[in-house]
Amino acid sequence: MTPRRILIVNPFGIGDVLFSTPLIRAIRRAFPAAYVAYLGNRRTEEILRRNPHLDALFIYEKDEVVALWNRHKLHALRLMASLFRQIRRSRFDVAIDLSLGERYSFLLALFGVPRRIGFDFRRRGRFLSHRFVINGFQDRYVVNYYAELLGMLGIRQRDGALELAINEEDRQDAQQRLGTLGIRDGHRLIGWVPAGGVSWGIQANFRRWSKEGFIQVGRALGRQPDTMLLIFGEPQDHAVCAQIAQAIGAKAVDLSSQTTLGQFISLIARCALVITNDGGPVHIAASQGVRTVSIFGPVDAHVYGPYPRTDGHHVVYREDLPCRPCYHQFKLPPCPYERACLTTISPDDVLEACEAALAGAGS
């Protein structure tokens, strides 16, 4: 039976949502007349609103609900009840649950969604009607795991390119910002994201390369003619971004906490290369066809790295360490080696990858 109303559920971060964009596109191509909606969180809302294949978006932000609950429990209950009503009234006949848990599939069953497709991880798929058993994501890209679920709808994913649109307003904002900074069309721009990994919360530091390493690589790249470094970061990253910009010198511009997500995407799209830790920014750059150098510590780049993997994406990691990648089954174990997977990556390692990427770009 051809599905008429489809809901995709993904409560995770920017990278995971971008990984799902080939799935969204495949569904739209297979069922052009279907009503396709997505349930995501506040952090990924702007990414999802830019997707041309979605008809509706539902937002559930756990932190907002918890904060509201602590202030006024009745208002929190009303907020959740309103969301539940909207989903139930939509009368979805298919749901694709990417959450890896059982909470969403239970609610979807309660709402009367007959076909509930998702991953059975650690026997958490008991409320799914169609399940794909996994023991975590390993050995292949997340995009490929998501594609497996499409088979339960009788369709195939034609291509795995990540998709993220830029609107004209953001494009003009980016051009104006560059002009204000005195950056000409002849400048080669390198995007610089030295923090990132916000979705890991207090463990974010375990996927970040050193500030000193970024400074040394930045100084070396800054010595190249007509090259400017644009440094990006979240508001909480501003202090470290400002320190790096100051240490690199006049060739570095600190834009941390000064751009909207749309402006960030537009500026990234103007770059010849983006250098970043493991995290959402590398996937945003990949979605814009921008070359990347990404630094991976405990996480497996063959699962969570830039996709699709091409000569334009260079991943720097310590292949010779038997302990990495140690991030398995969505958990990060305690590290007895003082983060050797990151601390033993040298500036020369990263600079070599940068030079290879820029050479491939014809620079």
Side-chain angles (χ1 to χ4, degrees), residues 7 40 52 56 75 100 128 149 158 165 175 215 266 276 307 309 311 317 334 349:
L7 176 66
H75 287 175
L100 302 166
L128 297 169
L149 301 181
R158 296 182 192 175
Q175 182 65 34
I215 289 170
S266 295
T276 176
Y307 187 90
R309 187 70 178 272
D311 292 340
Y317 62 94
D349 294 330

Side-chain angles (χ1 to χ4, degrees), residues 20 27 52 64 131 139 143 161 186 191 213 217 224 230 257 326 330 339 349 362:
S20 74
I27 289 173
E64 290 181 6
R131 57 185 66 87
D139 303 325
V143 172
V217 173
Q224 298 181 9
L230 304 181
S257 75
C326 64
F330 316 109
R339 300 192 303 129
D349 294 330

